[in-house]
Amino acid sequence: MKSGVISSIISKISPSATIAVANKVDELKSKGYKIISFATGEPDFDTYGNIKEATDQAMKAGFTKYTSVEGIKELREAICMKLKRDNNLDYNSSQIIVSNGAKQALYNAFMTICEQGDEVLVPTPCYVTFPEQIKLAGGIPIYSPTKEENNFRITLEELKTKCTSRTKALILNSPNNPSGAMCKEDDLRQIADFLVDKGMWVITDEIYENIVYDEAKHISIASFNREIKDQTIVVNGLSKSYAMTGWRVGYAAGPEEVISAMVKFQGHVTSNINSMAQKGAIEALTGPQGMIKIMCKEYARRRDYIVEKLNSIKGISCNHPDGAFYVFPNISKLYGARLGDKIINNEMDVVNYILEEAHVAVVPGEAFNYPDHIRFTFAISIENIKEGLNRIEVAINNLIF
Ligand SMILES: Cc1ncc(COP(=O)(O)O)c(C=O)c1O
């Protein structure tokens, strides 16, 4: 390949820190090892039958052609109904775009509002994709670390210290991937008032809104008042709530001018999402919602187990997530420990050690711009969780501190 062929914009994007782990997992699997993976962020439940049925019927009825770029009106109306029902948000169908997952909705949003050199505040730990998409859009991610001792709570005080005259927007993600932390209503209200005062945008990624535990309740920042709603792009999707990761149905809601611009952009990138999946999505949003509670109950059982067990393992201290299906324990007390010539100096060493010694895969905190931690998903069976954590415990007990 000729040198210099890769554009500077693509060269600026970081390769996923999970790829190195995935490659190692493949290598060990090819050698016949049984790896337990806590690495992938997707529900282990199947998509419900009524959703599949609606999609199947659409296909059989020949609903197999292009649709309008922004998604069929019936689906956008179903999304408006959902936003009213679940989030107390009033939108009309021309304020909605359906995209290939929340991921494309996020990309559309950054591409639409960022000018070259605009700064976007990114509280950390953060979803791996936010900083890279901001860079692709010509923006600059400005990290605002939350504090572990505050249970990764986002506060206005901390955000303010990172604001400059070039700050264009803030990205919020509550419940958070990877920490499971949720924004408190008081904090959100303060942040909303500040953003309105400064005329800054907020993109709120609410993909885990339904996966919440105990008394926790998700609140959309856009629901506080008209002013903040006019500066908000709400991003959501069906991947996590309805166990539909492979269907690629996400959406954004916002002021019509912004959504129309997103439609213009998406029209030249992918056009509409899969037409049949749109019919399935209508059924998911308008049909029975009982499956969400059933999944949450099971996730809660797993969360309680994983938090307690991880906290009982030497050198690990685990947070207690309010939502999503991840835990993000601190593993820095393992630094300095060794087994033979293997010395643990950082979180990547921990990830490699438990992969090689325990055959368990997890994701390093650096993937989320937050060192000294590792992420576990508990969207895997309780049997695998128990087996995986037992293996980790044995491997850590073998270390010399
Ligand atoms: C915070 C967050 N946003 C967006 C996505 C992407 O979701 P989708 O499957 O709808 O593209 C994920 C997936 O892991 C996520 O964790």
Side-chain angles (χ1 to χ4, degrees):
M1 198 196 318
K2 270 195 206 157
S3 65
V5 69
I6 307 299
S7 69
S8 57
I9 194 111
I10 296 298
S11 304
K12 264 191 242 157
I13 309 171
S14 311
S16 164
T18 51
I19 289 179
V21 179
N23 289 345
K24 269 221 158 114
V25 168
D26 287 346
E27 189 193 314
L28 288 168
K29 276 187 178 165
S30 71
K31 289 183 182 158
Y33 293 109
K34 184 180 174 260
I35 309 292
I36 294 184
S37 178
F38 287 87
T40 357
E42 68 176 344
D44 56 322
F45 297 93
D46 194 7
T47 307
Y48 265 37
N50 60 319
I51 302 171
K52 291 183 182 175
E53 188 57 37
T55 309
D56 197 33
Q57 272 175 22
M59 185 168 64
K60 287 187 178 135
F63 194 72
T64 55
K65 303 288 167 57
Y66 290 135
T67 71
S68 54
V69 169
E70 63 271 35
I72 55 176
K73 193 157 190 236
E74 197 188 348
L75 173 54
R76 286 179 289 120
E77 283 172 349
I79 292 168
C80 292
M81 177 283 297
K82 177 261 171 251
L83 289 167
K84 183 68 189 165
R85 178 188 68 199
D86 301 344
N87 311 104
N88 197 26
L89 288 171
D90 286 300
Y91 286 103
N92 63 53
S93 58
S94 52
Q95 295 175 307
I96 307 291
I97 176 172
V98 180
S99 303
N100 285 279
K103 198 172 252 193
Q104 190 184 22
L106 287 164
Y107 187 50
N108 286 339
F110 291 126
M111 285 298 284
T112 300
I113 65 165
C114 284
E115 294 284 4
Q116 200 68 30
D118 277 348
E119 295 177 355
V120 180
L121 293 181
V122 184
T124 60
C126 67
Y127 174 46
V128 287
T129 293
F130 295 151
E132 307 318 311
Q133 288 195 347
I134 292 166
K135 288 187 238 168
L136 280 170
I140 304 170
I142 303 293
Y143 301 111
S144 177
T146 58
K147 293 198 179 76
E148 183 186 354
E149 57 272 27
N150 256 349
N151 209 10
F152 306 104
R153 171 180 162 206
I154 298 174
T155 67
L156 176 61
E157 287 318 305
E158 283 165 0
L159 291 176
K160 267 185 180 168
T161 65
K162 302 288 175 179
C163 273
T164 72
S165 57
R166 291 197 300 173
T167 312
K168 179 70 170 276
L170 162 71
I171 171 89
L172 284 179
N173 172 216
S174 174
N176 175 273
N177 173 8
S179 71
M182 290 179 68
C183 292
K184 307 273 169 285
E185 182 171 351
D186 284 356
D187 291 326
L188 264 189
R189 281 192 187 277
Q190 285 180 24
I191 293 168
D193 290 346
F194 176 77
L195 296 175
V196 168
D197 187 44
K198 297 282 176 204
M200 277 163 50
W201 283 85
V202 56
I203 298 166
T204 168
D205 177 341
E206 307 188 351
I207 190 110
Y208 295 102
E209 67 166 339
N210 286 315
I211 304 172
V212 294
Y213 308 114
D214 310 322
E215 304 307 309
K217 179 144 179 35
H218 166 78
I219 298 168
S220 178
I221 192 168
S223 66
F224 290 145
N225 54 54
R226 182 63 201 250
E227 288 75 22
I228 188 65
K229 182 166 171 256
D230 285 348
Q231 291 171 214
T232 303
I233 302 173
V234 178
V235 171
N236 208 327
L238 280 66
S239 288
K240 318 287 176 174
S241 296
Y242 299 96
M244 289 174 69
T245 45
W247 297 59
R248 312 310 301 133
V249 187
Y251 55 90
E256 195 167 334
E257 188 191 357
V258 173
I259 296 296
S260 308
M262 286 165 69
V263 173
K264 188 166 69 169
F265 174 60
Q266 183 171 301
H268 291 295
V269 182
T270 56
S271 293
N272 60 278
I273 73 155
N274 176 298
S275 49
M276 295 151 266
Q278 295 187 52
K279 293 285 188 177
I282 295 169
E283 175 60 26
L285 294 170
T286 60
Q289 302 294 300
M291 66 178 291
I292 296 174
K293 277 218 164 70
I294 294 170
M295 288 195 285
C296 276
K297 207 169 155 203
E298 176 57 21
Y299 290 139
R301 184 168 84 97
R302 298 175 191 175
R303 176 201 62 165
D304 292 346
Y305 179 82
I306 202 168
V307 170
E308 195 182 333
K309 180 74 190 177
L310 281 171
N311 276 321
S312 75
I313 299 176
K314 190 171 180 184
I316 299 186
S317 108
C318 186
N319 66 314
H320 197 261
D322 290 325
F325 38 59
Y326 309 104
V327 283
F328 197 53
N330 186 317
I331 41 72
S332 60
K333 291 216 170 77
L334 295 173
Y335 298 171
R338 64 168 67 217
L339 177 68
D341 59 356
K342 284 184 185 158
I343 304 176
I344 292 184
N345 286 319
N346 54 46
E347 93 231 0
M348 207 55 216
D349 291 342
V350 175
V351 170
N352 287 331
Y353 179 75
I354 63 179
L355 185 54
E356 285 159 15
E357 293 295 317
H359 299 145
V360 172
V362 295
V363 186
E366 70 172 68
F368 312 101
N369 278 278
Y370 208 92
D372 302 336
H373 292 70
I374 53 179
R375 189 194 75 175
F376 292 73
T377 176
F378 45 90
I380 64 171
S381 72
I382 190 82
E383 291 75 26
N384 276 341
I385 292 175
K386 286 184 178 171
E387 165 76 16
L389 297 187
N390 286 341
R391 290 191 201 175
I392 291 176
E393 187 172 35
V394 171
I396 288 181
N397 285 340
N398 286 339
L399 286 167
I400 299 178
F401 286 83

